[in-house]
Amino acid sequence: MTTMHEPPFPPPEPRRGSGPDNGTAQRNDRQGNWSSGAPGGDSDGGHEHDPGHGHGSGPGSGSGHGHSHSHGPAAPVSRHLRKVIAAVLIPFAAAVVVGLAVLWPGGAPAHERTGVGFDRQTQQATVTEVVELSCKEVGAGGVPPTGDTSTPSGSSAVREESGTCKKATIRVDTGKDKGRTFTEVVQPDQSRQLSEGQEVVVAYEPSAPKDLQYAVTDVNRRVPLSVLAGIFAVAVVLVGRLRGVMALVSLAISFLLLNFFILPAILQGSNPLVVAVVGASAIMLIALYLCHGPSARTSVAVLGTLISLLLIGVLGSVFIDWAALTGNTDDNTGLIHGLYPSIDMSGLLLAGIIIGSLGVLDDVTVTQTSAVWELHEANPTMGWRGLYRAGIRIGRDHIASVVNTLVLAYAGAALPLLLLFSIAQSGVGTVANSELVAEEIVRTLVGSIGLVASVPVTTALAALVVSADRPEPGRAPAPAGAQPAVAGTAPAMGRGTRGGRGRRRKR
């Protein structure tokens, strides 16, 4: 008589996502069709797995679960999509290189210094001595005050006459007159006061009388600015590490292109809009690929940035012309126009709008592309419409913050101008109609429209690319019934095997 014994373990439960045919799921596990490692899949070669080692999750460990775990960077897109992206971007990059070669200047054209504004010779100097004395004694007021304080000049004359002035001795430290000293009187109502040992910048006018050839024009700020730049670089590297280093390198390259290509090419008479488009495109390609690597994700961000820049260029050109903005609104632009009459000042204004919008556009397009890629990695079964809807919800928050940032940045830069209008008690319509403020309004709104448009454009491009991806040969897609992976979770364990899998996991 044969005695029937119950098995020591209950039969194994079907694995999640494996469907009703458990044998099919086991065969799929052995073939590595559901693994999520590098492109092409990680297969164990069809060998049987040791039941005692069923909870390994690394490549080739033979984990017997029906969903994947993604711990590394996103897998690259298929070769077909890479070819499509390259077919678009390679001609664009080649056109940028040709544009740089054709428009590259030999340097800024020479001219005679006018001695006005920034167009004057300067030297470094040091304040060696400061003596306080009566303003009346040195005749700082210029003319005897009349006692009438109703006018600004009369009020200033009275204060100067009765106040205490400073007589500073300054030593020239650079140039052919190194070691030469001169004196300068500092009036009590001047915004810049000199102190002994202070480093200053002095202007030199060779055609003036010898005693009046040098005059203090500014304070030497090289040391504090250098220290601040060093702190910035250290902070970027400490937080960003290698990405931070690459960001600093791309920033240096951007400044080189600005100083050695964009500015000299405009001064030599090239069209400012064409120069700005070529220069901004070169900066965009170098910065994005250097900081984020040559990948399909970066390429989509490049395409989104390019489309947005084209929109900004078209809108800026239309509204600058329609609003009759000349771009010549202050002393600096007036000096540029006087020195180089051939420069198109309205084109220069448009070039500034394009270059100024580029930095914020990079941030928006890279963020949106990364968001769509991560959504696809979290749920590979999501179609392009679902990816777009999820990505655009993220983009709406980004739009609100970026537009507010851009408007406040321009308002902060124009704060002294806005304060003058407030003092004059001018109406909002009067203020907005003035060319000086209208330029900032056009600059802000055109840039903001480009930023807003970059969100749906980049999100749609990214969703189309990742959803249209074709698997490489040997890289099988996840089955439709498979659940998305949850990073950091352990594989499902059956209860009918030995090697520590006979116990229920605590939850």
Side-chain angles (χ1 to χ4, degrees):
M1 179 175 177
T2 304
T3 304
M4 298 296 294
H5 298 283
E6 290 185 5
F9 301 98
E13 296 178 350
R15 296 175 176 86
R16 289 181 299 173
S18 60
D21 187 1
N22 192 42
T24 302
Q26 290 175 352
R27 287 194 299 272
N28 284 338
D29 282 342
R30 293 190 185 105
Q31 294 173 1
N33 287 341
W34 293 8
S35 77
S36 67
D42 291 319
S43 174
D44 61 357
H47 300 293
E48 292 290 339
H49 299 302
D50 185 0
H53 301 283
H55 67 280
S57 61
S61 62
S63 59
H65 56 287
H67 59 274
S68 63
H69 298 281
S70 177
H71 299 286
V77 298
S78 64
R79 184 177 301 174
H80 170 75
L81 269 181
R82 291 199 297 268
K83 288 181 178 179
V84 172
I85 295 172
V88 176
L89 287 182
I90 288 178
F92 168 66
V96 172
V97 172
V98 171
L100 287 172
V102 172
L103 297 174
W104 194 269
H111 70 277
E112 266 188 57
R113 291 187 179 271
T114 62
V116 179
F118 292 103
D119 190 39
R120 52 189 170 185
Q121 300 181 42
T122 58
Q123 302 293 343
Q124 306 300 316
T126 305
V127 179
T128 58
E129 185 182 13
V130 176
V131 178
E132 293 187 355
L133 68 168
S134 170
C135 291
K136 187 175 182 179
E137 182 180 345
V138 295
V143 293
T146 61
D148 181 10
T149 60
S150 61
T151 62
S153 58
S155 177
S156 175
V158 170
R159 288 196 305 270
E160 292 171 0
E161 185 74 17
S162 58
T164 301
C165 293
K166 295 179 180 178
K167 185 177 181 181
T169 302
I170 296 101
R171 182 190 68 239
V172 180
D173 296 331
T174 59
K176 63 184 184 62
D177 292 330
K178 182 179 179 179
R180 177 178 168 181
T181 62
F182 66 96
T183 60
E184 185 160 317
V185 175
V186 182
Q187 299 176 0
D189 60 346
Q190 284 186 211
S191 58
R192 184 188 302 114
Q193 298 292 315
L194 301 179
S195 58
E196 189 172 335
Q198 187 177 25
E199 295 183 349
V200 294
V201 178
V202 295
Y204 173 63
E205 178 51 58
S207 61
K210 187 173 182 180
D211 294 341
L212 303 176
Q213 287 180 339
Y214 286 95
V216 175
T217 60
D218 211 339
V219 175
N220 191 337
R221 303 180 179 89
R222 293 184 179 182
V223 173
L225 293 180
S226 299
V227 171
L228 182 60
I231 294 174
F232 164 74
V234 170
V236 170
V237 173
L238 285 179
V239 177
R241 299 186 180 180
L242 182 59
R243 289 286 181 91
V245 174
M246 292 296 100
L248 293 177
V249 172
S250 67
L251 181 62
I253 294 174
S254 300
F255 274 109
L256 290 176
L257 281 172
L258 185 65
N259 289 323
F260 291 98
F261 171 69
I262 296 177
L263 299 180
I266 292 175
L267 290 177
Q268 284 196 345
S270 299
N271 188 304
L273 177 58
V274 176
V275 172
V277 169
V278 173
S281 300
I283 291 173
M284 173 186 66
L285 291 172
I286 293 171
L288 288 179
Y289 282 114
L290 193 60
C291 293
H292 304 284
S295 64
R297 180 185 298 189
T298 307
S299 299
V300 171
V302 168
L303 289 173
T305 305
L306 176 61
I307 294 172
S308 302
L309 281 179
L310 291 176
L311 176 61
I312 289 173
V314 171
L315 285 176
S317 179
V318 169
F319 282 94
I320 286 175
D321 183 62
W322 192 4
L325 299 177
T326 63
N328 188 4
T329 54
D330 57 21
D331 294 339
N332 293 326
T333 54
L335 179 60
I336 293 172
H337 184 65
L339 293 173
Y340 301 97
S342 60
I343 292 180
D344 180 10
M345 300 303 295
S346 60
L348 188 62
L349 173 62
L350 179 57
I353 294 175
I354 292 174
I355 295 174
S357 303
L358 177 61
V360 189
L361 273 177
D362 289 350
D363 172 52
V364 173
T365 55
V366 168
T367 301
Q368 286 303 116
T369 305
S370 298
V372 173
W373 241 262
E374 293 301 325
L375 288 168
H376 177 70
E377 288 295 315
N379 187 1
T381 62
M382 188 183 296
W384 82 267
R385 288 185 178 85
L387 287 171
Y388 177 80
R389 285 195 294 265
I392 206 68
R393 285 195 295 268
I394 299 172
R396 290 191 185 105
D397 292 335
H398 208 178
I399 287 173
S401 60
V402 167
V403 169
N404 195 41
T405 300
L406 193 63
V407 171
L408 290 180
Y410 283 127
L415 200 58
L417 176 65
L418 298 177
L419 187 61
L420 286 177
F421 281 110
S422 178
I423 293 172
Q425 297 182 352
S426 301
V428 175
T430 303
V431 172
N433 190 65
S434 65
E435 184 173 0
L436 198 57
V437 177
E439 276 190 8
E440 299 301 326
I441 293 175
V442 171
R443 191 194 310 271
T444 302
L445 297 183
V446 168
S448 298
I449 291 171
L451 290 175
V452 171
S454 69
V455 172
V457 167
T458 308
T459 305
L461 285 174
L464 287 171
V465 168
V466 295
S467 62
D469 192 11
R470 296 180 182 177
E472 298 283 357
R475 175 182 159 200
Q483 296 181 1
V486 180
T489 57
M493 298 182 184
R495 294 182 298 169
T497 56
R498 300 182 184 273
R501 294 199 299 166
R503 302 175 183 175
R504 286 183 177 272
R505 293 183 59 197
K506 295 182 180 180
R507 297 188 179 183

